[in-house]
């Protein structure tokens, strides 16, 4: 697509995604971000701003995913990334579970039955993805 995987390295510390590792990478990020910021100061309708921003962000997201897929990783980097992702997932599952327990406890105290559905969707979705992954890898 537009970006080159050689311009980026895998972000190992502080999140997911890629980090520019040369001038071309930084110029790519600037070229993607600048139109979004400049569009906000142009006097056009909010719906047009939203549409253009969404379309531009979608194009950038697809290109960024393409860059991440095309990046070369050796076996050791792949194993390290898998372990880091696993540990991050365990933390997120723990935090979501504590959130459900807290909401349940507060619901009992206040005599209401309110649990955030987003937390339930996140935990249920993670369970489904894990199950599908295990089935796929077993049959591979």
């Amino acid at each position: 697509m537009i970006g080159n995987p050689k311009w980026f390295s895998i972000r190992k510390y502080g999140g997911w995604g890629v980090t520019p590792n040369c001038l071309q990478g930084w110029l790519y990020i600037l070229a993607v971000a600048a139109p979004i910021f400049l569009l906000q100061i142009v006097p056009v309708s909010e719906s047009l701003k939203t549409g253009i921003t969404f379309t531009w962000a979608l194009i950038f997201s697809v290109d960024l995913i393409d860059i991440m897929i095309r990046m070369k990783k050796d076996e050791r980097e792949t194993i390290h990334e898998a372990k880091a992702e696993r540990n991050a997932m365990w933390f997120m599952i723990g935090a979501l579970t504590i959130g459900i327990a807290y909401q349940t406890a507060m619901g009992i105290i206040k005599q209401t039955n309110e649990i955030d559905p987003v937390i339930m969707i996140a935990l249920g979705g993670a369970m489904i993805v894990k199950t599908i992954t295990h089935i796929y890898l077993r049959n591979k």
Side-chain angles (χ1 to χ4, degrees), residues 2-9 19-22 24-26 28 67:
I2 300 167
N4 189 337
K6 294 177 184 176
W7 301 344
F8 300 94
S9 59
T19 301
N21 62 9
C22 65
Q24 291 92 337
W26 286 107
Y28 173 83
I67 290 169

Side-chain angles (χ1 to χ4, degrees), residues 76-90:
R76 183 173 181 215
E77 286 178 320
T78 303
I79 291 170
H80 286 191
E81 185 68 20
K83 288 180 179 180
E85 294 292 331
R86 179 202 62 199
N87 293 342
M89 185 198 65
W90 278 113

Side-chain angles (χ1 to χ4, degrees), residues 25-47:
W26 286 107
L27 291 174
Y28 173 83
I29 296 296
L30 180 66
V32 168
I36 293 174
F37 291 113
L38 293 175
L39 182 64
Q40 304 313 310
I41 61 173
V42 175
V44 295
S45 71
E46 288 299 317
S47 60

Side-chain angles (χ1 to χ4, degrees), residues 24-79:
Q24 291 92 337
W26 286 107
L27 291 174
Y28 173 83
I29 296 296
L30 180 66
V32 168
I36 293 174
F37 291 113
L38 293 175
L39 182 64
Q40 304 313 310
I41 61 173
V42 175
V44 295
S45 71
E46 288 299 317
S47 60
L48 183 61
K49 281 184 187 180
T50 302
I52 293 172
T53 302
F54 178 76
T55 303
W56 188 253
L58 182 64
I59 291 168
F60 167 66
S61 298
V62 169
D63 193 43
L64 190 61
I65 290 169
D66 179 60
I67 290 169
M68 291 170 64
I69 289 171
R70 292 187 296 142
M71 291 185 92
K72 304 288 186 220
K73 290 191 279 186
D74 64 12
E75 184 177 336
R76 183 173 181 215
E77 286 178 320
T78 303
I79 291 170

